[in-house]
């Protein structure tokens, strides 16, 4: 039996299923997987995460945590946090599997995404424009 899914989860599931996009992104305020000060929110693990996994969502992008993070395993949803606008440098990082935690930067900065029909490149920068981390994800487009 599947866990309870809220109306939000049903709407999200339907929207993703109806999308014809090759790459699927979901944007939210709170982080689902996060090594930051706020930590993991169990309600988000229980409800939207199974919807993202079932629909093979490529990226979940959030703010809220005052840091820059990239958490993910190849072939699974990548979790990108770009909340490095204030309250930085707390030195408050939760333990996380180093195979999943690709970047954790406690300072200020931002992320840039370059998106095409079948590829996304994302680059994290500090406030001075120095590259902290970069990665990409590609899928074969059915509409090429």
């Amino acid at each position: 039996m599947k866990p309870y899914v809220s109306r939000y989860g049903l709407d999200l599931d339907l929207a993703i299923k109806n999308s014809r996009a090759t790459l699927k992104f979901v944007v939210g305020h709170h982080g689902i997987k996060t090594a930051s000060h706020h930590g993991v929110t169990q309600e988000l693990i229980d409800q939207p995460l199974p919807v993202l996994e079932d629909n093979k969502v490529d990226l979940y992008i959030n703010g809220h945590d005052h840091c820059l993070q990239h958490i993910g395993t190849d072939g699974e949803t990548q979790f990108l946090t770009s909340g490095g606008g204030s309250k930085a440098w707390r030195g408050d990082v939760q333990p996380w599997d180093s195979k999943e935690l690709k970047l954790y930067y406690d300072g200020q900065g931002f992320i840039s995404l370059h998106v095409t029909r079948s590829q996304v490149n994302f680059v994290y920068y500090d406030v001075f424009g120095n590259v902290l981390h970069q990665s990409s994800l590609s899928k074969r487009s059915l509409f090429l």
Side-chain angles (χ1 to χ4, degrees):
M1 184 166 121
K2 280 194 169 188
Y4 167 77
V5 177
S6 68
R7 177 71 193 162
Y8 162 80
L10 295 174
D11 290 343
L12 178 62
D13 186 54
L14 186 60
I16 297 167
K17 281 184 177 18
N18 287 334
S19 172
R20 295 179 43 201
T22 303
L23 293 164
K24 311 263 192 231
F25 303 169
V26 173
V27 178
H29 177 77
H30 290 91
I32 294 176
K33 290 189 176 184
T34 175
S36 186
H37 171 76
H38 296 105
V40 172
T41 303
Q42 193 59 46
E43 183 180 5
L44 298 177
I45 293 291
D46 293 342
Q47 294 197 26
L49 183 57
V51 173
L52 302 183
E53 291 171 340
D54 289 349
N55 288 288
K56 300 187 181 342
V57 167
D58 300 292
L59 297 178
Y60 178 81
I61 306 167
N62 69 278
H64 188 65
D65 291 321
H66 300 282
C67 63
L68 303 174
Q69 296 180 81
H70 174 196
I71 295 176
T73 303
D74 290 344
E76 296 181 9
T77 302
Q78 302 296 299
F79 297 87
L80 311 181
T81 300
S82 182
S86 66
K87 296 183 184 175
W89 299 288
R90 287 184 176 195
D92 191 3
V93 59
Q94 308 295 319
W96 204 272
D97 182 346
S98 62
K99 293 177 190 152
E100 279 193 322
L101 187 60
K102 312 289 187 205
L103 170 72
Y104 184 88
Y105 181 70
D106 196 29
Q108 295 175 325
F110 60 97
I111 186 174
S112 170
L113 281 79
H114 179 257
V115 182
T116 67
R117 187 175 290 184
S118 59
Q119 183 169 340
V120 58
N121 299 312
F122 47 96
V123 182
Y124 287 86
Y125 299 91
D126 67 13
V127 292
F128 302 106
N130 299 309
V131 173
L132 299 170
H133 172 73
Q134 55 190 333
S135 191
S136 64
L137 176 70
S138 62
K139 281 187 167 177
R140 186 169 167 254
S141 174
L142 301 175
F143 304 106
L144 288 178

